[in-house]
Amino acid sequence: MASIRELRSRIRSVQSTKKITKAQELIATSQITKAQARVAAAKPYSAEMTAVLAELAGSAGSLDHPLLVEREAPKRAAVLIVTSDRGMCGGYNSNALRSARELIALLEEEGKQPVLFVTGQKGIGYFTFRGQSIASSWSGFSQKPTYADAAQAADLLVDLFMAGSGESIELPDGGSLAGVDEIHMVYTRFVTMLTQTPEVRRVAPLVVAEADDSDPSTPDRNYSFEPGAEALLDSLLPKYVATRIHAALLDSSASESAARRTAMKAATDNAEELSKSLSREANQLRQAQITQELSEIVGGTAALS
């Protein structure tokens, strides 16, 4: 049995850990509300962008824009994987990375070469440790992503997609990177405070859903396009891709905070239970020592008498 000194040292260590996990839980709780507010604030822009593109799709007639046309015999597929910069968030990263591995395996079965693009230090470290090549990566904004952060990834991915697998583009660092025929994205969708679901979406070639004119809740739109629909498609479709990536980053940010809150609450509860268990063990050991000392005193007194 451990000594009282060892037990008290362990109790102090557990209580220190409990303070850390409790602080992380409170921080994550405050961040969830802000993350949900950012998600809600981005929805009107995304909805209006979709409505405008649906009108453009109807005005353009036959759609032959590269971002909307399926490639024949695609060879390379870009995979954007959204992870966190920090740990202590339960299965948030492992679930997203498992979905990414399944997507990579599916693409390889279809005869396509996956090209990895990763956001978040956890994803970067995961693939680097396993020796898998990462075409490009971004980090430092997993909890507070902005549209500019999404635009960095979107600009590169759109340029690669527009080039296609038979061409390559020049990178700012002086290197080059071969183009792709598809763009896929793996992120975590926020459902509830206790449920976050990994999602796999194809970003390009993209499909813009047309508005349902029979829906009475859909407002009547009377757009006049200047310049023509084709020119506007060239300008708006890359922004639409950036909007979808931004929405995925915001959803993942809310999911990360919710997962961290759940994990830290469980850790705090476990630390509390462990502290109580160790305290009971220390008290029992102390009571046994006191009983033994009393027995020795009584025995000594009896011997002297």
Side-chain angles (χ1 to χ4, degrees):
M1 183 179 294
S3 66
I4 294 179
R5 180 177 297 177
E6 292 173 347
L7 289 173
R8 287 175 177 172
S9 177
R10 290 183 62 188
I11 290 171
R12 286 194 298 269
S13 177
V14 170
Q15 289 176 343
S16 298
T17 303
K18 176 186 170 183
K19 291 178 181 178
I20 296 173
T21 56
K22 185 63 177 179
Q24 291 288 341
E25 177 190 348
L26 295 175
I27 293 172
T29 302
S30 66
Q31 288 177 340
I32 292 173
T33 304
K34 297 176 182 178
Q36 288 178 306
R38 289 193 293 268
V39 172
K43 283 184 177 179
Y45 177 83
S46 178
E48 193 63 26
M49 175 72 78
T50 303
V52 171
L53 286 174
E55 291 287 335
L56 278 172
S59 302
S62 60
L63 298 176
D64 57 355
H65 192 279
L67 279 172
L68 300 174
V69 178
E70 295 281 348
R71 304 280 174 87
E72 293 184 4
K75 298 178 181 178
R76 288 166 55 87
V79 181
L80 176 63
I81 305 167
V82 181
T83 62
S84 69
D85 289 314
R86 297 170 52 229
M88 298 189 294
C89 48
Y92 168 80
N93 288 308
S94 60
N95 291 335
L97 291 170
R98 181 171 60 250
S99 297
R101 291 198 305 270
E102 293 173 354
L103 174 60
I104 292 170
L106 177 61
L107 293 172
E108 290 176 344
E109 288 178 2
E110 295 175 350
K112 303 170 187 174
Q113 178 186 355
V115 185
L116 302 184
F117 299 84
V118 185
T119 69
Q121 288 291 345
K122 290 301 178 180
I124 297 171
Y126 175 87
F127 290 107
T128 301
F129 178 76
R130 285 159 178 78
Q132 292 183 260
S133 176
I134 299 176
S136 188
S137 61
W138 304 269
S139 61
F141 52 80
S142 68
Q143 288 192 313
K144 293 182 179 180
T146 63
Y147 184 83
D149 298 323
Q152 288 182 357
D155 291 344
L156 176 59
L157 291 172
V158 169
D159 289 344
L160 290 171
F161 183 81
M162 297 295 286
S165 58
E167 303 292 337
S168 61
I169 67 170
E170 297 295 329
L171 300 177
D173 59 3
S176 63
L177 188 61
V180 298
D181 297 317
E182 292 179 356
I183 302 175
H184 299 267
M185 179 168 55
V186 181
Y187 69 101
T188 306
R189 180 169 60 90
F190 179 87
V191 182
T192 65
M193 293 287 287
L194 299 177
T195 306
Q196 301 84 41
T197 307
E199 292 284 333
V200 178
R201 297 288 176 87
R202 192 183 75 171
V203 179
L206 54 85
V207 177
V208 181
E210 297 188 10
D212 186 4
D213 296 334
S214 63
D215 187 356
S217 63
T218 302
D220 295 332
R221 302 178 185 274
N222 186 17
Y223 289 115
S224 177
F225 297 116
E226 290 289 343
E230 293 293 341
L232 285 174
L233 279 175
D234 290 338
S235 176
L236 291 181
L237 281 176
K239 291 183 173 60
Y240 181 63
V241 173
T243 300
R244 294 186 65 175
I245 294 177
H246 183 221
L249 291 177
L250 291 176
D251 233 353
S252 296
S253 173
S255 299
E256 178 187 348
S257 296
R260 182 169 288 112
R261 176 189 176 277
T262 301
M264 290 299 98
K265 185 178 187 306
T268 301
D269 294 341
N270 290 338
E272 179 68 23
E273 289 297 323
L274 182 57
S275 178
K276 290 180 180 179
S277 176
L278 291 173
S279 296
R280 285 193 296 267
E281 186 177 347
N283 291 337
Q284 291 173 358
L285 185 57
R286 179 57 181 160
Q287 289 171 359
Q289 288 182 348
I290 293 174
T291 302
Q292 182 180 356
E293 291 172 0
L294 289 176
S295 299
E296 290 174 355
I297 293 172
V298 170
T301 302
L304 291 174
S305 63

